[in-house]
Amino acid sequence: MKLLFIGDIVGQPGRRAVAELVPKLREQHALDFIIANGENSAGGSGITPKIAAEIFSAGVDVITTGDHLWDQKEVMELLVNEKRFLRPLNYPPATPGQGSGVFEIRNPKPGLQNISVGVLNLQGRTFMPPLENPFLAGLDAVKKLREQTKIIFVDFHAEATSEKIAFARMLDGQVSAVVGTHTHVQTADEQVFPGGTAYLTDAGFTGPHESVLGREIAPVIQRFLTSMPQRFEVAKDRVILHGAVIEINENTGRGMRIVRVMEAV
Ligand SMILES: [Fe+2]
Ligand SMILES: [Fe+2]
């Protein structure tokens, strides 16, 4: 089976890229399942039920998030009611919402029974707000998911490359793929580890790339020059969808191939 993961969707330009490019990518790569990080989809900060509905209707099956999860208060409704909406699993116990899910899809081979795909979302702790240990939480969650399926995709939302690589190496052979998000810069280190886990340190972001990580350039420079707070509006130009296509053996759950995606609107 083939899965597309889409890096952080930033604002309206990012949503437009998803709506325009997902149908094209689905056909081009014969995609069976699409996951997107939506933590910046509402004006660059957070997500609302209305925006999540827009992303789902563009063909995305599951939305993951990260540290910008809480930026819009309406997110609570998604956390409570939407099974296709994930937050980092390693928030304290009793936090609303879910950090993982198992989703059923049609088998790409006609006549064979449906496939279950596990999706797990975790957040790193290095240079980020402290949460529960994602390594311990990840091991535990993967063990539980593997009772239901061997096809497991992990969005590890983290800043430090060392934390991301160590995390993915720990799970090599236990999950089909680990792809990082959060830095908004696509890395060029896509590979399949010896145990069969496909890996990419960061998927990048989907939105305006004539920007600083999706925001207008001048206010960010001002912020660094003056150390004074600025309004960071979402930028407009050079809209690109960033992500990765991962081919997974549906019988063994092994990641077979990972290809970076960089598609302009
Ligand atoms: Fe982000
Ligand atoms: Fe983030």
Side-chain angles (χ1 to χ4, degrees):
M1 66 160 290
K2 274 179 159 184
L3 177 161
L4 167 68
F5 178 71
I6 300 171
D8 303 26
I9 300 167
V10 176
Q12 194 274 336
R15 300 190 322 260
R16 182 161 50 88
V18 169
E20 263 183 45
L21 296 174
V22 161
K24 196 176 135 194
L25 290 167
R26 185 190 297 282
E27 184 153 316
Q28 186 184 335
H29 295 281
L31 298 171
D32 301 296
F33 198 68
I34 301 175
I35 304 163
N37 187 302
E39 72 152 7
N40 306 109
S41 55
S45 302
I47 184 164
T48 63
K50 191 168 160 252
I51 283 172
E54 188 186 327
I55 295 169
F56 286 133
S57 73
V60 171
D61 297 294
V62 174
I63 298 175
T64 56
T65 53
D67 54 312
H68 283 289
L69 173 68
W70 307 104
D71 292 356
Q72 307 287 335
K73 63 178 188 306
E74 301 97 310
V75 74
M76 202 56 90
E77 193 188 315
L78 281 170
L79 287 167
V80 173
N81 297 321
E82 180 52 79
K83 291 283 167 238
R84 298 170 296 171
F85 182 77
L86 303 182
R87 59 149 169 88
L89 179 89
N90 50 328
Y91 274 92
T95 304
Q98 49 279 314
S100 68
V102 176
F103 306 91
E104 232 180 62
I105 60 165
R106 207 164 33 82
N107 197 313
K109 301 210 175 85
L112 294 181
Q113 65 179 20
N114 286 350
I115 296 175
S116 293
V117 182
V119 183
L120 170 60
N121 189 189
L122 284 154
Q123 188 171 311
R125 298 198 295 184
T126 307
F127 311 127
M128 295 195 83
L131 292 179
E132 308 288 336
N133 187 324
F135 288 73
L136 294 174
L139 281 175
D140 187 53
V142 166
K143 199 173 148 201
K144 284 179 192 148
L145 284 171
R146 282 180 68 87
E147 287 166 12
Q148 295 179 72
T149 179
K150 285 179 180 162
I151 303 168
I152 300 170
F153 175 88
V154 187
D155 172 359
F156 189 44
H157 195 78
E159 178 74 37
T161 48
S162 61
E163 191 178 18
K164 287 159 131 168
I165 296 168
F167 176 84
R169 285 282 182 178
M170 175 185 77
L171 292 178
D172 183 20
Q174 301 293 305
V175 300
S176 311
V178 177
V179 176
T181 52
H182 177 69
T183 70
H184 288 205
V185 176
Q186 189 176 76
T187 56
D189 61 336
E190 72 276 20
Q191 61 198 290
V192 178
F193 291 147
T197 294
Y199 177 72
L200 177 64
T201 294
D202 207 290
F205 82 94
T206 297
H209 282 249
E210 197 54 33
S211 69
V212 178
L213 310 183
R215 305 308 181 106
E216 290 288 4
I217 295 165
V220 181
I221 295 175
Q222 274 310 306
R223 163 83 174 271
F224 282 111
L225 278 171
T226 66
S227 298
M228 290 192 290
Q230 304 283 332
R231 266 194 87 83
F232 296 154
E233 302 290 352
V234 171
K236 294 180 186 70
D237 297 331
R238 204 155 62 84
V239 179
I240 299 173
L241 182 149
H242 270 178
V245 171
I246 297 144
E247 200 178 323
I248 298 166
N249 179 313
E250 56 265 22
N251 299 316
T252 63
R254 236 184 128 90
M256 307 299 288
R257 217 163 92 90
I258 176 163
V259 178
R260 277 182 289 133
V261 173
M262 234 183 301
E263 192 84 20
V265 163

